[in-house]
Amino acid sequence: MATPRLRTRKLSEPTISRLPVYQRIAEGWMRRGMVRIDSRQIGELAGVTATTVRRDLAGLGSIGTRGSGYDVKVLNDRIAEALGHDRDYDVVVVGIGNLGRALVNSSNFLIRGARLVALYDADPTIVGTIVAGHVVASINEPMVAATVGVICVPPEAAQQVADRLVAADIHALLNFAPQVVNVPLGTAVHYVDFSIELQILMYHLNNGTGPLGGGLLHSLGIATPSPLRGS
Amino acid sequence: MATPRLRTRKLSEPTISRLPVYQRIAEGWMRRGMVRIDSRQIGELAGVTATTVRRDLAGLGSIGTRGSGYDVKVLNDRIAEALGHDRDYDVVVVGIGNLGRALVNSSNFLIRGARLVALYDADPTIVGTIVAGHVVASINEPMVAATVGVICVPPEAAQQVADRLVAADIHALLNFAPQVVNVPLGTAVHYVDFSIELQILMYHLNNGTGPLGGGLLHSLGIATPSPLRGS
DNA sequence: GGATGTGAAGTAGTTCACAGCC
DNA sequence: GGCTGTGAACTACTTCACATCC
């Protein structure tokens, strides 16, 4: 790769969370054979203003064409590049219950750049079965090297799994268990919590405020990570 | 009750997305028999500063005690009240694949206030089976009344399901399909997309920026709501 | 003493408005 | 004409610092 760039300086956190949405829109447009899209159209689909879209995309360099909008192919490629999809990442998933299974079988979880390398579970009836083309290994076996560890176990087991992942030198965790985990400095944990979206939706329902209320069409919630910090 | 009720004016969007996190922390504290917690402790667990915690909670009224922090029970209750958990919401889930199953069986998806009333699926081998105590109905049967509809079907089917939910007078949708859906004005759609979290994590890995990188412990992403606007 | 709650200051993000280019 | 890209204005959120109360 003549990898050009890295001129992408620093994108703001809100921008980073919107780029995957724009990319998904671009993919959809491509699939339908459309070639160009403008900032107003992206904005309507993504649930943000056209100006915000242009600001976000301007951060990737001048990728639009004045007077006619953005080429969806270019848009898709540049976003992929900015998000690092041109590098490969190895992903291990721990906990092959309904959720873990849903994730690894979903066509959209393991997007470009992410490569599933191993699955682990504690349940002996699950260990040894084949899921998404991989034999599920026992949680007690040594873990393979990977970049990202995905935790899909019950909350009681989350800390223990996090410890094992860290011990295996995996320092980027995506935690679907509703449980805060402690990790050493230098390890990133992102939390995904379904119920939080539901709760936010309920708040708006209750108050008639925000996304739901006054004439707004829909709200694009995107995900709901949560933070944390270690002891 | 002399409950001072509904003095909760308007909470900011970031605050709303953090409240469920604080509530989860309060629940955990209660379970472990702890009685009080202070803003610094909440902040560490939630991944935000103590000041942010105090600001957020101040919006719910004066619920802390100067000098000693917050009573976890009071904290939990007031957050529940602010988020509208004291009202009941009927929830229907459409699409009982791995994901739908994971959601309805998860102890944390249907939190207080949310009541599962019906499940629907298109697959004849799933229709009629019992999941989470409910008989799965066919997607072709008339839908029951509900407040919130959860979409867990493949992306191709998402629009059609959204249409059916809206036709059944359900105007708050939680969409897990990676597919933007069109709904009439007055209907709220929140999107939850797993892969977006993974992509954000990858971006930070790639750039060493933000949550992962420079000396920060781990990420506190807190949410990523986005607003929207109607067509 | 100790931690909350909050004005005041600072910072980040969004929106406006328009110059620049196709 | 149309739409991008961007300085300037604005708005929203966070952080500081401290008065207030237990």
Side-chain angles (χ1 to χ4, degrees), chain B residues 32-55:
Chain B
R32 293 169 48 192
M34 315 292 289
V35 173
R36 306 198 70 78
I37 190 169
D38 67 39
S39 61
R40 192 177 43 78
Q41 295 171 308
I42 298 172
E44 291 199 358
L45 293 168
V48 296
T49 65
T51 308
T52 297
V53 173
R54 291 203 299 279
R55 266 266 177 239

Side-chain angles (χ1 to χ4, degrees), chain A residues 36-115:
Chain A
R36 306 197 72 77
I37 190 168
D38 66 39
S39 61
R40 192 176 44 75
Q41 295 171 307
I42 297 173
E44 292 200 358
L45 292 169
V48 297
T49 65
T51 306
T52 296
V53 173
R54 291 203 299 278
R55 268 262 179 243
D56 287 340
L57 296 179
L60 311 183
S62 279
I63 60 178
T65 311
R66 293 170 199 233
S68 82
Y70 302 87
D71 180 295
V72 292
K73 180 87 173 58
V74 171
L75 188 55
N76 182 63
D77 290 350
R78 295 297 309 236
I79 294 175
E81 194 185 322
L83 293 175
H85 291 180
D86 46 357
R87 280 193 49 191
D88 279 340
Y89 294 88
D90 291 332
V91 177
V92 302
V93 177
V94 183
I96 312 301
N98 285 313
L99 178 58
R101 223 170 282 243
L103 291 177
V104 300
N105 285 317
S106 162
S107 58
N108 94 96
F109 178 60
L110 295 167
I111 40 76
R112 183 174 24 200
R115 187 175 44 208

Side-chain angles (χ1 to χ4, degrees), chain B residues 63-227:
Chain B
I63 61 177
T65 310
R66 292 170 200 234
S68 82
Y70 302 87
D71 180 295
V72 290
K73 179 87 174 60
V74 171
L75 188 56
N76 182 64
D77 291 351
R78 295 298 311 238
I79 294 174
E81 193 185 324
L83 293 175
H85 292 180
D86 46 357
R87 279 193 50 193
D88 279 341
Y89 294 86
D90 291 334
V91 177
V92 302
V93 176
V94 184
I96 313 301
N98 285 314
L99 178 59
R101 223 171 282 243
L103 291 177
V104 300
N105 285 319
S106 161
S107 58
N108 96 95
F109 178 61
L110 294 166
I111 38 77
R112 184 174 23 200
R115 188 174 45 206
L116 185 62
V117 293
L119 305 174
Y120 297 91
D121 202 284
D123 184 340
T125 67
I126 291 177
V127 170
T129 62
I130 294 181
V131 175
H134 292 260
V135 177
V136 178
S138 163
I139 184 71
N140 297 315
E141 287 179 35
M143 279 186 180
V144 301
T147 315
V148 177
V150 179
I151 303 173
C152 303
V153 299
E156 315 81 70
Q159 180 64 56
Q160 188 185 341
V161 168
D163 291 344
R164 284 189 59 80
L165 288 165
V166 170
D169 216 39
I170 298 172
H171 294 291
L173 311 182
L174 197 54
N175 184 14
F176 285 83
Q179 171 67 50
V180 172
V181 297
N182 286 319
V183 294
L185 221 125
T187 297
V189 185
H190 273 240
Y191 294 81
V192 179
D193 188 330
F194 311 136
S195 80
I196 288 178
E197 269 312 301
L198 187 57
Q199 292 179 66
I200 294 172
L201 192 55
M202 285 180 176
Y203 172 84
H204 290 308
L205 275 175
N206 220 27
N207 290 49
T209 56
L212 211 215
L216 290 182
L217 191 30
H218 19 246
S219 126
L220 176 220
I222 299 276
T224 329
S226 319

Side-chain angles (χ1 to χ4, degrees), chain A residues 85-218:
Chain A
H85 291 180
D86 46 357
R87 280 193 49 191
D88 279 340
Y89 294 88
D90 291 332
V91 177
V92 302
V93 177
V94 183
I96 312 301
N98 285 313
L99 178 58
R101 223 170 282 243
L103 291 177
V104 300
N105 285 317
S106 162
S107 58
N108 94 96
F109 178 60
L110 295 167
I111 40 76
R112 183 174 24 200
R115 187 175 44 208
L116 185 63
V117 293
L119 305 174
Y120 296 92
D121 201 285
D123 184 339
T125 68
I126 291 178
V127 171
T129 61
I130 294 180
V131 174
H134 292 260
V135 177
V136 179
S138 162
I139 184 71
N140 298 315
E141 287 179 36
M143 280 188 182
V144 302
T147 315
V148 178
V150 180
I151 303 173
C152 302
V153 299
E156 315 83 69
Q159 179 64 57
Q160 189 185 340
V161 168
D163 291 344
R164 284 189 59 79
L165 288 165
V166 170
D169 216 40
I170 298 172
H171 294 291
L173 311 181
L174 197 54
N175 183 14
F176 285 84
Q179 172 66 49
V180 172
V181 297
N182 285 320
V183 294
L185 220 125
T187 298
V189 186
H190 272 240
Y191 294 80
V192 179
D193 187 332
F194 309 137
S195 80
I196 288 178
E197 269 311 303
L198 186 58
Q199 292 179 65
I200 293 171
L201 191 54
M202 285 181 175
Y203 172 84
H204 290 308
L205 275 174
N206 219 28
N207 290 49
T209 56
L212 211 215
L216 290 184
L217 189 33
H218 30 243

